[in-house]
Amino acid sequence: MLAILSDNRTIRQSGRAMSESTPAYKAPLFEPLARQPASHRISTVIEQKILRRSLRPGDNLPTETELAEQFAVNRSTVREALRRLESAGLVGREGGSKRLKVTRPGHAETASRVGRTLALDDVTFIELWEAMRAVAPRVAALTAEQGSAADVAQLEAIVSAVETARSADGAVNQVVEFFGKLAELSGNRVLQLAMQPVTRLLAPSLRRMIDRVPQGRTRILVAQRCIVEAIREHRPDEAESWMTRHVQDFRRGYELAGIALDTKVGIGSMAD
């Protein structure tokens, strides 16, 4: 019996010693690198050349055979890599040519991709509205600083089109055009790219608001005319102030129309 107790004490002491000497498990600092298909690696390498301006818009890419030799892969792997670059708008064919050239995606194409990404990410109307509230007033102010008589004439034509549109669809299309034109006239390409997908995704909610709130279109027209007048007079502070009120008015319109601001934007919005 004494021998058993002695053995138990020895086991317990041994266990304590092991627990004291064995360090606690630590999660690894780094994870194993993910294996990527060769086509992904090739498209990434070519993309980096384009972004670093080693390859410029209009430059011819080597042929599939030449790329396959340079990368030491099959032509089918190169073909898949080129398809990825083509879908991203970084390369393309001109005039039916079989030879791929480096291209630059247009603003509309880039905005469409951003819009689809936002829709797939389940962004809500309130998130879009908050982004618009942050961007649109600054766009109006910049346009007022440098807007010409020709710019004002373009904006006035859009405002008239909003007023005379026979349907909510037609009016909303012109409202989206008004914001897009303002962003273009601001001269800031970053703000232009930020504005386009936001206004396009907001279009369905604007349509429902105009349909359900009788004074909706009238209030939009009043704000647009005041913004255009501030641009004509080169008053950036006034243009910014009116645009802020204009965007805030959208939210009030949504609430009057019974539109839930936490509604997720659908992919169908990009078709509008």
Side-chain angles (χ1 to χ4, degrees):
M1 183 70 175
L2 290 174
I4 294 173
L5 291 174
S6 175
D7 288 343
N8 285 341
R9 281 195 298 271
T10 302
I11 292 170
R12 287 197 296 272
Q13 290 169 356
S14 174
R16 283 197 298 272
M18 289 179 64
S19 64
E20 290 170 359
S21 61
T22 304
Y25 171 77
K26 287 186 178 180
L29 185 58
F30 300 104
E31 296 180 359
L33 292 175
R35 292 186 179 182
Q36 284 189 329
S39 60
H40 288 207
R41 296 200 299 272
I42 292 170
S43 64
T44 299
V45 169
I46 297 175
E47 179 181 345
Q48 289 301 316
K49 290 278 188 185
I50 294 170
L51 295 178
R52 290 170 183 163
R53 301 297 192 269
S54 301
L55 287 168
R56 294 182 173 273
D59 288 352
N60 285 323
L61 283 184
T63 64
E64 283 184 9
T65 302
E66 291 168 340
L67 287 171
E69 289 174 356
Q70 292 178 32
F71 285 110
V73 295
N74 296 325
R75 284 183 61 188
S76 59
T77 304
V78 169
R79 199 171 297 122
E80 178 59 30
L82 294 177
R83 274 198 291 265
R84 287 171 55 84
L85 292 168
E86 203 165 0
S87 344
L90 294 175
V91 301
R93 295 176 173 82
E94 295 179 356
S97 170
K98 292 185 178 179
R99 192 72 178 267
L100 282 169
K101 291 178 178 287
V102 176
T103 57
R104 178 180 295 166
H107 284 181
E109 185 181 358
T110 303
S112 179
R113 286 199 180 96
V114 172
R116 285 196 295 270
T117 301
L118 291 173
L120 287 168
D121 205 32
D122 288 335
V123 298
T124 61
F125 284 120
I126 188 63
E127 290 176 293
L128 291 172
W129 177 81
E130 287 169 345
M132 193 175 187
R133 186 179 57 174
V135 173
R138 185 57 188 155
V139 164
L142 286 173
T143 305
E145 287 175 5
Q146 57 198 16
S148 65
D151 296 339
V152 170
Q154 291 183 66
L155 292 170
E156 285 180 328
I158 297 171
V159 174
S160 295
V162 174
E163 184 175 21
T164 58
R166 296 185 177 182
S167 66
D169 279 345
V172 167
N173 289 339
Q174 293 304 316
V175 170
V176 171
E177 178 67 17
F178 181 81
F179 281 104
K181 180 57 68 175
L182 269 180
E184 178 187 329
L185 297 176
S186 75
N188 188 308
R189 289 171 293 178
V190 176
L191 291 177
Q192 185 179 355
L193 287 172
M195 180 75 85
Q196 286 182 346
V198 170
T199 52
R200 288 182 63 186
L201 286 169
L202 278 173
S205 64
L206 289 176
R207 184 179 301 108
R208 290 198 294 275
M209 187 261 284
I210 289 175
D211 277 337
R212 298 176 188 178
V213 180
Q215 69 272 30
R217 195 190 304 201
T218 301
R219 293 182 69 88
I220 288 172
L221 284 167
V222 169
Q224 286 183 340
R225 286 180 179 134
C226 290
I227 292 165
V228 172
E229 186 59 29
I231 292 170
R232 187 199 314 277
E233 299 295 328
H234 296 290
R235 296 175 180 170
D237 290 344
E238 188 175 328
E240 185 171 1
S241 174
W242 265 108
M243 180 58 83
T244 300
R245 281 184 272 180
H246 185 31
V247 175
Q248 288 174 339
D249 212 31
F250 283 166
R251 177 166 182 163
R252 287 192 289 272
Y254 294 156
E255 292 167 349
L256 288 172
I259 299 170
L261 295 178
D262 59 355
T263 301
K264 293 177 182 178
V265 175
I267 286 292
S269 303
M270 294 308 298
D272 297 289

